[in-house]
Each structure stands twice: as structure tokens, then as C-alpha cells.
Amino acid sequence: MVKITTHNIEISVESSFHAQHSVPGENHYFFIYFVTIFNHSDYSVQLLKRHWDIFNSNGEKHTVDGDGVVGETPTIKPGGHFKYNSGCNLNSEIGYMKGFYTLKDILTGKQFDVQIPKFDLIVPAKLN
């Protein structure tokens, strides 16, 4: 697991290879990642947008931008957290993701970005 804290918002991520949805012979590798967003601030925040940079070991970069996460724009109270999981396809056995979320302070309406830590996407056999 990797984690980072920006503006008192902690993002932790854990990833795993999902062999059942992968087809190595066709260079299709599927990974699942689990994200927890902890609000260590004194105010409620709403997750508005996400930005992902996805890299594979072939030197290719893919960018994803969108509203919310998994169809939600959750509000997280002080001391609270939000968990979700999603997936990513790569055409190589090794890669990584990183990015940021755009959040809004519910009280003031101010928007700000919080970093998502870089996390690896690696087929377990490549770790040997």
C-alpha cells in the first residue's frame, strides 16, 4: 500500500493483478486498485473530479479525466473516509498510475487538488 497526504486529505492505494480478466497472449493485463480517501481536515469535502496518468512499460502514457469516481461525487465529513475500487487495463506486464482528485471545501466552495500517490501495476511473475 502507498499513501500520501495533501491539504489534510490522505489518499491510500493498493493494487493487485486480476488474472481472471487478463489475456497475456493478447497483451491484455487487468489490474484492480483499491482507494481510501481519509479526511483529516476540520471541514467536509466533496470529491468533484479525477485525473489519472497511466503508464506502461512500453513507454506509453494514457490520461483519464472525469467527474467523481465510480459514478459518485462523495462528500466526506471531517474524520471520515470514502472507499472504492476500480480497474485498469494495460498492454504490458508492468506499469504504474498516479494522478490527483479535485475536491471542494463544502463550507467555502473553494476547490483544490490532492495528489494520488504513484502505485505500481505489476504481474506477480515479474517480481521474481
Side-chain angles (χ1 to χ4, degrees), residues 68-113:
V69 291
V70 294
E72 296 186 51
T73 55
T75 297
I76 310 166
K77 295 180 180 180
H81 68 277
F82 177 77
K83 292 183 179 187
Y84 76 95
N85 66 282
S86 191
C88 173
N89 292 301
L90 289 183
N91 62 5
S92 67
E93 299 170 297
I94 299 172
Y96 67 90
M97 293 175 64
K98 64 180 183 173
F100 62 88
Y101 297 122
T102 300
L103 303 180
K104 176 175 74 173
D105 177 332
I106 294 297
L107 186 61
T108 66
K110 179 183 174 192
Q111 293 185 19
F112 58 96
D113 293 338

Side-chain angles (χ1 to χ4, degrees), residues 1-38:
M1 177 187 313
V2 295
K3 61 183 174 178
I4 191 168
T5 301
T6 313
H7 300 292
N8 291 316
I9 306 296
E10 178 185 305
I11 310 296
S12 67
V13 184
E14 193 167 350
S15 64
S16 64
F17 174 63
H18 204 263
Q20 299 90 320
H21 289 93
S22 298
V23 185
E26 296 177 13
N27 292 323
H28 177 81
Y29 304 92
F30 188 72
F31 297 86
I32 298 174
Y33 55 92
F34 302 86
V35 177
T36 305
I37 304 167
F38 295 96

Side-chain angles (χ1 to χ4, degrees), residues 51-65 89-92 95-100:
H51 172 90
W52 290 108
D53 291 319
I54 306 164
F55 299 85
N56 67 28
S57 58
N58 298 324
E60 299 168 338
K61 175 185 174 184
H62 180 70
T63 299
V64 176
D65 289 292
N89 292 301
L90 289 183
N91 62 5
S92 67
Y96 67 90
M97 293 175 64
K98 64 180 183 173
F100 62 88

